[in-house]
Amino acid sequence: QVRPVESGGESVQAGGSLTLSCAASGNCVGWFRRVPGKEHEREGVAAIWPGVSETALVDAKKGTFSDSVKGRFTISQDTVKNTVYLQMNSLKPEDTGMYYCAAGTIRSPLIYCTPQYIETLDASGQGTQVTVSS
């Protein structure tokens, strides 16, 4: 199985923005992160369903997000390039961590593909580091 490939992590000031990219295939794609002090824990951040129609995406509010990033992060897809983007705005120091993209193919992704499910996927990339300084 081809693993996802992430890019885009950088060091930024608090309040800044970053866009992470993930080249991946599957109908359930998303991001989880490992933060300092909790490197053994995965925190699901966002999930999206590549291939789902734009109408369904709008109805489903264009992906799902953890409470910690809701309203600040958005997720989008380019199905031609098989790439998913995580747009992160209003970054906070607590967003610092290693961000991983994970992907899989599941039944009923609109129902089951959530940030919590993303945490459980085995097919993840090498990660990209995001550092937010205050």
Side-chain angles (χ1 to χ4, degrees):
Q1 185 176 5
V2 178
R3 291 188 174 273
V5 178
E6 309 95 337
S7 62
E10 292 182 11
S11 295
V12 296
Q13 294 285 325
S17 299
L18 276 178
T19 301
L20 305 184
S21 300
C22 171
S25 59
N27 66 357
C28 175
V29 180
W31 297 85
F32 66 88
R33 64 189 181 187
R34 298 183 193 270
V35 300
K38 298 182 180 179
E39 285 82 0
H40 297 295
E41 296 181 11
R42 295 182 171 191
E43 177 192 356
V45 171
I48 196 169
W49 320 287
V52 171
S53 70
E54 282 297 315
T55 300
L57 278 175
V58 170
D59 289 344
K61 300 180 181 178
K62 291 191 175 289
T64 66
F65 304 89
S66 65
D67 289 342
S68 61
V69 306
K70 198 172 293 183
R72 300 187 295 122
F73 291 11
T74 59
I75 190 168
S76 61
Q77 60 179 345
D78 183 331
T79 54
V80 174
K81 297 180 179 179
N82 280 342
T83 300
V84 170
Y85 303 96
L86 183 68
Q87 175 67 42
M88 306 186 294
N89 300 321
S90 301
L91 283 162
K92 304 175 181 180
E94 50 264 43
D95 293 318
T96 294
M98 186 69 81
Y99 283 69
Y100 298 85
C101 181
T105 300
I106 64 173
R107 294 180 63 183
S108 304
L110 280 170
I111 299 173
Y112 298 115
C113 183
T114 64
Q116 291 73 29
Y117 182 76
I118 292 296
E119 294 175 1
T120 69
L121 290 174
D122 290 330
S124 61
Q126 296 296 311
T128 186
Q129 178 68 38
V130 172
T131 303
V132 184
S133 57
S134 57

